[in-house]
Amino acid sequence: MHRFYIDEQQHMGNEIRVTGEDVNHIKNVLRLKEGDRILLCNSVDTDHICEIADLSEKGTVLCTVLESKKSDSELPVRIVLYQGLPKKDKMELIIQKCVELGVTEIVPVTMKRCIVKIEDEKSEAKKNLRWNEISRAAAKQSGRGIIPKVGRVMNFKEALKKAASEDPEHLLVPYENENGILSLKKFASEMAASLKKGSKPTVSVFIGPEGGFDESEIEEAKTAGATTVSLGRRILRTETAGLTTAAILMYETETGNDSLS
Ligand code: SAH
């Protein structure tokens, strides 16, 4: 069933009006007909199974809600990826793969060893728009209940502050100079255990750019309460490290989560 994302204000009673670019997609690309069923997600926690009721209104597709259910495609944990700005278009690959793996939010971060420099406001805004489009497309393809947000570029200090304010207990820094993968196993399994108590923690994952972390950044992160972990005995590229961490957290939390047993 085709999936589209709506805001709750489009939902009145048992009707939902689809508007915007999805209307053209439904009418002219997919050529859906009245009576066809589509899934409308409120991008928070609910998916509505709907039937297309009226295609005649310009710029609108009127749908009737047949059934509403809790979105079952989100992880039981919020993962925020703080990605050291990588070179070229690696960010697009990182966004796409992390959205498929259940990451909730992605924040591009300037770090000391970043090679790319921040451009002017207009170019950054254009890039951010493209990155959010990639997130939307990956969310649709992978059947996410939400469209993960790709935030504006932050510096390391701002990123640490945001992460510590959201959940100071779960600041994770995969560090290339850290030894012993047990630290990651311990962090992930302890977090999975905390889920059983009904909490929904936010795990902030900090990944360095191609040049890695500067020692001073690791010290700053540790002062903010971060746990440094190893991702194994090999050095992963920056575009590999974030999705590896997301996959491990996804595995630990989804298999550790009763509702999926
Ligand atoms: N230039 C560095 C590697 C940086 S890789 C070097 O060659 O040594 C980019 C980021 O991926 C790192 O900053 C870290 O966050 C993560 N990473 C890569 N391999 C890792 C590993 N084995 N353990 C933990 N983190 C790793």
Side-chain angles (χ1 to χ4, degrees):
M1 202 180 308
H2 295 288
R3 173 186 293 263
F4 301 92
Y5 296 91
I6 55 149
D7 297 324
E8 268 309 327
Q9 72 254 17
Q10 294 169 252
H11 182 183
M12 265 85 81
N14 79 329
E15 286 186 342
I16 297 180
R17 312 181 86 79
V18 178
T19 54
E21 61 190 36
D22 287 336
V23 174
N24 174 57
H25 198 61
I26 290 169
K27 289 183 177 177
N28 307 320
V29 177
L30 301 171
R31 295 185 180 284
L32 296 181
K33 298 290 168 248
E34 289 170 4
D36 285 348
R37 291 191 177 186
I38 56 175
L39 197 63
L40 298 178
C41 310
N42 73 352
S43 311
V44 178
D45 54 6
T46 308
D47 295 349
H48 303 289
I49 298 173
C50 299
E51 186 175 275
I52 297 178
D54 183 353
L55 291 165
S56 61
E57 207 179 317
K58 196 168 172 354
T60 304
V61 173
L62 184 64
C63 300
T64 310
V65 177
L66 302 177
E67 184 194 347
S68 298
K69 59 190 179 67
K70 202 155 167 42
S71 168
D72 61 0
S73 57
E74 292 306 300
L75 290 179
V77 59
R78 287 186 73 249
I79 300 176
V80 182
L81 174 71
Y82 292 88
Q83 174 65 48
L85 267 180
K87 291 189 286 190
K88 300 197 196 84
D89 53 0
K90 284 181 188 176
M91 198 62 179
E92 301 188 6
L93 175 83
I94 292 165
I95 292 165
Q96 186 186 63
K97 297 310 162 203
C98 285
V99 168
E100 290 170 45
L101 285 162
V103 165
T104 312
E105 182 182 354
I106 297 165
V107 180
V109 185
T110 51
M111 297 183 193
K112 285 186 177 151
R113 295 185 191 173
C114 278
I115 295 155
V116 291
K117 293 298 166 231
I118 295 301
E119 298 170 279
D120 59 273
E121 189 82 12
K122 198 157 163 278
S123 320
E124 288 302 317
K126 197 161 160 255
K127 223 176 341 181
N128 182 271
L129 208 60
R130 169 140 186 74
W131 285 347
N132 277 287
E133 266 317 302
I134 286 170
S135 174
R136 167 184 280 271
K140 254 186 169 181
Q141 173 274 322
S142 58
R144 290 290 301 272
I146 64 150
I147 301 174
K149 180 178 159 234
V150 181
R152 63 167 182 79
V153 179
M154 286 188 181
N155 64 41
F156 194 67
K157 253 183 194 25
E158 288 173 322
L160 270 184
K161 193 159 167 262
K162 174 176 168 5
S165 68
E166 286 181 351
D167 185 339
E169 298 303 310
H170 298 103
L171 263 67
L172 192 63
V173 179
Y175 179 38
E176 59 274 26
N177 297 336
E178 188 72 30
N179 295 315
I181 199 160
L182 267 182
S183 49
L184 176 55
K185 191 170 177 59
K186 183 170 173 293
F187 180 96
S189 46
E190 277 172 8
M191 193 188 56
S194 77
L195 297 177
K196 296 214 188 306
K197 299 184 198 100
S199 69
K200 180 160 186 172
T202 294
V203 185
S204 301
V205 178
F206 283 75
I207 299 292
E210 289 87 349
F213 283 113
D214 187 275
E215 287 71 22
S216 63
E217 288 168 333
I218 294 298
E219 286 320 305
E220 245 184 285
K222 282 182 175 174
T223 308
T227 307
T228 48
V229 294
S230 166
L231 294 176
R233 295 190 177 87
R234 293 153 301 285
I235 294 289
L236 309 180
R237 287 181 180 276
T238 187
E239 62 270 31
T240 314
L243 59 98
T244 302
T245 311
I248 290 167
L249 293 174
M250 179 266 284
Y251 175 76
E252 275 297 327
T253 53
E254 283 210 320
T255 44
N257 180 21
D258 294 344
S259 62
L260 285 164
S261 52

